[in-house]
mmCIF file of all heavy atoms in Angstrom:
data_model
loop_
_atom_site.group_PDB
_atom_site.id
_atom_site.type_symbol
_atom_site.label_atom_id
_atom_site.label_comp_id
_atom_site.label_asym_id
_atom_site.label_seq_id
_atom_site.Cartn_x
_atom_site.Cartn_y
_atom_site.Cartn_z
ATOM 1 N N ASP A 1313 -29.479 -69.354 -12.744
ATOM 2 C CA ASP A 1313 -28.476 -69.925 -11.844
ATOM 3 C C ASP A 1313 -27.329 -70.422 -12.726
ATOM 4 O O ASP A 1313 -27.539 -71.292 -13.566
ATOM 5 C CB ASP A 1313 -29.214 -71.044 -11.098
ATOM 6 C CG ASP A 1313 -28.285 -71.893 -10.299
ATOM 7 O OD1 ASP A 1313 -27.084 -71.606 -10.283
ATOM 8 O OD2 ASP A 1313 -28.792 -72.892 -9.705
ATOM 9 N N GLU A 1314 -26.125 -69.878 -12.537
ATOM 10 C CA GLU A 1314 -25.007 -70.216 -13.424
ATOM 11 C C GLU A 1314 -24.741 -71.709 -13.503
ATOM 12 O O GLU A 1314 -24.324 -72.214 -14.540
ATOM 13 C CB GLU A 1314 -23.717 -69.492 -12.981
ATOM 14 C CG GLU A 1314 -23.633 -68.112 -13.531
ATOM 15 C CD GLU A 1314 -22.218 -67.536 -13.512
ATOM 16 O OE1 GLU A 1314 -21.254 -68.296 -13.230
ATOM 17 O OE2 GLU A 1314 -22.064 -66.330 -13.737
ATOM 18 N N ASP A 1315 -24.966 -72.417 -12.402
ATOM 19 C CA ASP A 1315 -24.688 -73.867 -12.384
ATOM 20 C C ASP A 1315 -25.526 -74.616 -13.417
ATOM 21 O O ASP A 1315 -25.121 -75.660 -13.920
ATOM 22 C CB ASP A 1315 -24.976 -74.457 -10.981
ATOM 23 C CG ASP A 1315 -23.979 -73.913 -9.974
ATOM 24 O OD1 ASP A 1315 -22.927 -73.406 -10.370
ATOM 25 O OD2 ASP A 1315 -24.301 -73.969 -8.757
ATOM 26 N N ALA A 1316 -26.731 -74.089 -13.708
ATOM 27 C CA ALA A 1316 -27.633 -74.800 -14.632
ATOM 28 C C ALA A 1316 -27.252 -74.526 -16.092
ATOM 29 O O ALA A 1316 -27.649 -75.270 -16.997
ATOM 30 C CB ALA A 1316 -29.054 -74.323 -14.400
ATOM 31 N N LEU A 1317 -26.417 -73.521 -16.311
ATOM 32 C CA LEU A 1317 -26.189 -73.098 -17.697
ATOM 33 C C LEU A 1317 -25.342 -74.060 -18.503
ATOM 34 O O LEU A 1317 -25.568 -74.229 -19.692
ATOM 35 C CB LEU A 1317 -25.574 -71.674 -17.721
ATOM 36 C CG LEU A 1317 -26.494 -70.600 -17.138
ATOM 37 C CD1 LEU A 1317 -25.824 -69.247 -17.222
ATOM 38 C CD2 LEU A 1317 -27.828 -70.574 -17.853
ATOM 39 N N VAL A 1318 -24.323 -74.655 -17.860
ATOM 40 C CA VAL A 1318 -23.461 -75.572 -18.601
ATOM 41 C C VAL A 1318 -24.313 -76.717 -19.169
ATOM 42 O O VAL A 1318 -24.211 -77.091 -20.340
ATOM 43 C CB VAL A 1318 -22.330 -76.116 -17.706
ATOM 44 C CG1 VAL A 1318 -21.491 -77.130 -18.460
ATOM 45 C CG2 VAL A 1318 -21.447 -74.969 -17.234
ATOM 46 N N LYS A 1319 -25.230 -77.228 -18.350
ATOM 47 C CA LYS A 1319 -26.106 -78.331 -18.790
ATOM 48 C C LYS A 1319 -27.003 -77.851 -19.946
ATOM 49 O O LYS A 1319 -27.184 -78.550 -20.933
ATOM 50 C CB LYS A 1319 -26.960 -78.785 -17.621
ATOM 51 C CG LYS A 1319 -27.695 -80.067 -17.877
ATOM 52 C CD LYS A 1319 -28.380 -80.535 -16.607
ATOM 53 C CE LYS A 1319 -29.161 -81.803 -16.849
ATOM 54 N NZ LYS A 1319 -29.967 -82.183 -15.708
ATOM 55 N N ARG A 1320 -27.542 -76.653 -19.809
ATOM 56 C CA ARG A 1320 -28.421 -76.144 -20.863
ATOM 57 C C ARG A 1320 -27.653 -75.993 -22.164
ATOM 58 O O ARG A 1320 -28.148 -76.341 -23.226
ATOM 59 C CB ARG A 1320 -28.933 -74.745 -20.486
ATOM 60 C CG ARG A 1320 -30.154 -74.755 -19.635
ATOM 61 C CD ARG A 1320 -30.839 -73.441 -19.740
ATOM 62 N NE ARG A 1320 -31.880 -73.305 -18.746
ATOM 63 C CZ ARG A 1320 -32.576 -72.202 -18.579
ATOM 64 N NH1 ARG A 1320 -32.307 -71.149 -19.308
ATOM 65 N NH2 ARG A 1320 -33.505 -72.140 -17.672
ATOM 66 N N ILE A 1321 -26.443 -75.461 -22.067
ATOM 67 C CA ILE A 1321 -25.702 -75.144 -23.299
ATOM 68 C C ILE A 1321 -25.106 -76.387 -23.975
ATOM 69 O O ILE A 1321 -25.184 -76.541 -25.187
ATOM 70 C CB ILE A 1321 -24.586 -74.113 -23.019
ATOM 71 C CG1 ILE A 1321 -25.223 -72.784 -22.622
ATOM 72 C CG2 ILE A 1321 -23.692 -73.927 -24.210
ATOM 73 C CD1 ILE A 1321 -24.251 -71.740 -22.170
ATOM 74 N N THR A 1322 -24.573 -77.294 -23.153
ATOM 75 C CA THR A 1322 -23.943 -78.460 -23.782
ATOM 76 C C THR A 1322 -25.008 -79.436 -24.339
ATOM 77 O O THR A 1322 -24.680 -80.269 -25.176
ATOM 78 C CB THR A 1322 -23.009 -79.201 -22.790
ATOM 79 O OG1 THR A 1322 -23.725 -79.454 -21.590
ATOM 80 C CG2 THR A 1322 -21.772 -78.351 -22.471
ATOM 81 N N GLY A 1323 -26.253 -79.295 -23.922
ATOM 82 C CA GLY A 1323 -27.329 -80.167 -24.440
ATOM 83 C C GLY A 1323 -28.067 -79.552 -25.617
ATOM 84 O O GLY A 1323 -28.987 -80.128 -26.168
ATOM 85 N N ARG A 1324 -27.636 -78.356 -26.021
ATOM 86 C CA ARG A 1324 -28.377 -77.642 -27.062
ATOM 87 C C ARG A 1324 -28.002 -78.079 -28.472
ATOM 88 O O ARG A 1324 -26.838 -78.329 -28.767
ATOM 89 C CB ARG A 1324 -28.100 -76.153 -26.907
ATOM 90 C CG ARG A 1324 -28.518 -75.308 -28.093
ATOM 91 C CD ARG A 1324 -28.385 -73.843 -27.832
ATOM 92 N NE ARG A 1324 -27.046 -73.448 -27.534
ATOM 93 C CZ ARG A 1324 -26.734 -72.201 -27.146
ATOM 94 N NH1 ARG A 1324 -27.696 -71.301 -27.045
ATOM 95 N NH2 ARG A 1324 -25.498 -71.893 -26.896
ATOM 96 N N TYR A 1325 -28.977 -78.146 -29.371
ATOM 97 C CA TYR A 1325 -28.688 -78.333 -30.812
ATOM 98 C C TYR A 1325 -29.810 -77.670 -31.621
ATOM 99 O O TYR A 1325 -30.855 -77.335 -31.047
ATOM 100 C CB TYR A 1325 -28.515 -79.822 -31.162
ATOM 101 C CG TYR A 1325 -29.712 -80.695 -30.863
ATOM 102 C CD1 TYR A 1325 -30.598 -81.076 -31.876
ATOM 103 C CD2 TYR A 1325 -29.944 -81.213 -29.586
ATOM 104 C CE1 TYR A 1325 -31.676 -81.911 -31.625
ATOM 105 C CE2 TYR A 1325 -31.033 -82.031 -29.331
ATOM 106 C CZ TYR A 1325 -31.900 -82.392 -30.346
ATOM 107 O OH TYR A 1325 -32.967 -83.188 -30.085
ATOM 108 N N THR A 1326 -29.520 -77.411 -32.883
ATOM 109 C CA THR A 1326 -30.524 -76.705 -33.698
ATOM 110 C C THR A 1326 -30.711 -77.428 -35.021
ATOM 111 O O THR A 1326 -29.846 -78.159 -35.480
ATOM 112 C CB THR A 1326 -30.117 -75.244 -34.010
ATOM 113 O OG1 THR A 1326 -28.802 -75.269 -34.545
ATOM 114 C CG2 THR A 1326 -30.123 -74.364 -32.795
ATOM 115 N N CYS A 1327 -31.871 -77.178 -35.631
ATOM 116 C CA CYS A 1327 -32.135 -77.751 -36.952
ATOM 117 C C CYS A 1327 -31.187 -77.055 -37.944
ATOM 118 O O CYS A 1327 -31.097 -75.837 -37.960
ATOM 119 C CB CYS A 1327 -33.603 -77.457 -37.317
ATOM 120 S SG CYS A 1327 -33.942 -77.861 -39.047
#
Side-chain angles (χ1 to χ4, degrees):
D1313 170 2
E1314 276 199 11
D1315 293 341
L1317 297 181
V1318 176
K1319 191 173 178 187
R1320 274 200 192 177
I1321 293 174
T1322 51
R1324 166 172 60 186
Y1325 59 100
T1326 52
C1327 171

